[in-house]
């Protein structure tokens, strides 16, 4: 539905050749060397799979949408930052690299 709003000539060529386009997502669109114009309501809802041209990119931006060319939006980005922080907090009070440093310092170089 979203892709049809931009017209048939605007859609990604590989997208048009498929019979079942309901399974396409942002990643499958970018893997086909096309651009993904996100839904105006939310970046995470289905959007439009368009040919990757400057004209379509500006049309997408004119409708207050986001045009993705290199990567798709993800809900898990914040989770990765939180998990990294928890790892650092759990690792900090431990011995960490101290056994390796002490081991190399107590033996003579010869």
């Amino acid at each position: 539905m979203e892709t049809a709003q931009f017209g048939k000539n605007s859609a990604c060529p590989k997208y048009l050749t498929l019979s079942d386009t309901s399974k396409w997502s942002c990643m499958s669109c970018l893997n086909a060397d096309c651009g993904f114009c996100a839904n105006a309501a939310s970046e995470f809802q289905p959007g439009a799979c368009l040919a990757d041209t400057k004209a379509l990119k500006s049309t997408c931006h004119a409708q207050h949408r986001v045009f993705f060319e290199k990567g798709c939006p993800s809900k898990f980005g914040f989770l990765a930052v939180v998990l990294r922080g928890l790892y650092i907090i759990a690792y900090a009070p431990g011995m960490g690299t101290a056994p390796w440093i002490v081991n190399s310092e107590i033996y003579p170089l010869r």
Side-chain angles (χ1 to χ4, degrees):
M1 296 289 280
E2 292 281 326
T3 307
Q5 290 180 345
F6 290 91
K8 193 163 186 137
N9 293 336
S10 303
C12 176
K14 292 182 182 176
Y15 179 82
L16 291 174
T17 59
L18 296 174
S19 58
D20 184 23
T21 57
S22 64
K23 295 180 182 174
W24 268 49
S25 63
C26 177
M27 277 311 297
S28 54
C29 185
L30 294 183
N31 287 338
D33 296 327
C34 296
F36 184 77
C37 186
N39 193 307
S42 172
E43 292 180 356
F44 304 112
Q45 291 181 357
C49 186
L50 305 173
D52 194 8
T53 63
K54 287 186 179 185
L56 289 173
K57 185 176 181 179
S58 62
T59 304
C60 181
H61 287 299
Q63 295 181 6
H64 304 292
R65 297 171 175 232
V66 182
F67 192 79
F68 294 100
E69 301 174 271
K70 297 187 174 136
C72 294
S74 174
K75 296 178 184 179
F76 302 113
F78 185 74
L79 181 63
V81 173
V82 169
L83 290 176
R84 173 65 60 106
L86 289 175
Y87 171 76
I88 292 171
I89 290 169
Y91 188 77
M95 294 269 299
T97 58
W100 297 101
I101 295 170
V102 171
N103 196 21
S104 67
E105 294 292 330
I106 61 174
Y107 294 114
L109 292 177
R110 56 187 152 85

